[in-house]
Amino acid sequence: MWRSKIRLAAAALTAAMSAGALAGCGIPALGGTDERGAAARAPVPPGADAECAGVPAPDGAKARQLRGMWIATVGGIDWPKGAGRSAAEQKKEFTRLLDTARQMNMNAVFVQIRPNSDAFYDSPLEPWSQWITGTQGKDPGYDVLAFMLKEAHARNLEFHAWFNPYRVSRDDDLKKLSDKSPARRHPEWVRKYGDGLWYDPGIPQVRELATKAVMDVVGKYDIDAVHFDDYFYPYPEGGEFPDQATYKARGAGMDKDDWRRRNVDLLVEDLSRRIHEAKPWVRFGISPFGVWRNKSSDPAGSDTRALQSYDDVYADTRKWIKKGWLDYVTPQLYWPIGDSRADYAELVAWWAEQVKGTDVHLTIGQGAYRVGADSAWKDPAELSRHLTLNAKYPQVNGDVFFSASDIAENRRGFAQRLRDDHYARPALRPAAAGGKAPPPVQDTAARPHGDGDVKVTWRPSEGAAAYAVYRVDGERAACAPVDPAHLIAAVRGGGIIDPSAEPGRTYTYYVTALDRLHHQSAPARGVTVTAPKG
């Protein structure tokens, strides 16, 4: 369990970032969790906190946000830096990225665990990824995914397992792949295109392989979500994708473009069903290219002049939203406000309209990698302006940044600006459809701890996956509604140490319980304490 004790104060963050890095920061959590994320100690039975019956849960729906970052593993973009480094070095690098997320008051990571028909776990279907050891198929000596999950959950970071369904290799030589690779065993599934190798999405066995790979992880690991990015059929690289023989054999007279879209639809629909049947609390989300179709091609499209995911990679994301196959969608809106081809402001409005009236959550993919890249991105406040604009649309539930290394680098101070302007306090994740709030916790206690800190503990609640801790100045009523603005921590386990309490100051702490889908209980009886003077 992570027990780093670093001040929440903004001065500490500024000092860490001025040193050129975002160090780990947050309120230490106490206690452990089981496979479902529920606290491992004796739970509170349902309805146990009758003393505060009738007190509502903090109504923070507008304040709730998913705040995440992608951790790309292909090519060592974010991690691991330099395949083949020792397990200890790799673990240290990964936890440093997670601490960056915590420092930024983020609450989710999107980690690429199947980049090239390979695996960051011991898979019965595919070889170990080359991006871990430098050699595809070589055992790294530890369960990489289990380690990543444990460390993410210890920091109460939601873990979205990121899969690429069809990409085989960034090299076009099949013989360089491990003997265990399905592409070596079934070369008839593979197509050379551009500089790499791809599975043909029109072959049913290919879709089944991708589905089995996902469901193997869903069944064996305590992930919070399955995540796809924008790679379906490959992006155009001159010439047509070589699936003519597959289309001739399986096209059944359909228009070729419609047939390709149907192939992708079949994978998305089937995976959605299987994931939710296996574990209803595991969500399924996709991060498509930011333009579905231009209005010039379709009146329902956006007022843009860009590549179209519907036509160019055969991904009908709008249909997936309307059909309810997705729990969330995270379009990659990697353009600045006012861009002549694809204006960020236009696209946020368009995507907000698509999810309106559905249960699909909308989060926005933000291009942190673009900061400083050209004249349009020289201003480090550009991404902060994006988040300010998002606040005009109640359908926008948060943001995910590509990628972790850029957040950690804090180029031109853009990450500091984001935290100062938007992420100064922690946030609970938006509640998803299904599930229900656990019963309130009991036996909340607060007492002085160590050098001026306060230790807050509670007895875990049955069915709870995490807990929210609120702090109010002064002595307040034990049973009272809580303003969501007073949230100071969201953790797993049965307690926290609050290092940001000011010595000699009196506070009242309230604790709520949340299920796996972030439904929140009413607050337990508040407890009042005066922080010690050190």
Side-chain angles (χ1 to χ4, degrees), residues 1 73 126 171 232 248 253 279 296 304 310 315 317-318 324 329 372 382 429:
M1 178 59 66
T73 59
E126 295 170 311
D171 189 293
F232 294 98
K248 183 177 180 180
K279 290 183 177 179
S296 59
T304 49
Y310 180 93
T317 320
R318 184 172 181 267
V329 62
E382 176 67 27
R429 293 171 285 264

Side-chain angles (χ1 to χ4, degrees), residues 357-437:
T358 75
D359 288 330
V360 179
H361 283 189
L362 171 62
T363 50
I364 304 300
Q366 301 285 357
Y369 74 99
R370 300 204 64 185
V371 174
D374 55 39
S375 59
W377 287 94
K378 287 193 183 300
D379 185 351
E382 176 67 27
L383 289 178
S384 180
R385 285 195 289 270
H386 288 196
L387 271 60
T388 299
L389 179 64
N390 291 355
K392 297 180 180 180
Y393 298 94
Q395 295 83 11
V396 176
N397 283 285
D399 300 86
V400 186
F401 296 85
F402 190 87
S403 63
S405 295
D406 299 285
I407 294 291
E409 185 180 345
N410 187 33
R411 197 165 44 256
R412 293 175 177 260
F414 85 92
Q416 174 74 62
R417 183 67 176 262
L418 283 169
R419 191 188 191 281
D420 289 348
D421 293 352
H422 303 281
Y423 292 172
R425 300 183 66 87
L428 299 182
R429 293 171 285 264
K436 66 177 183 179

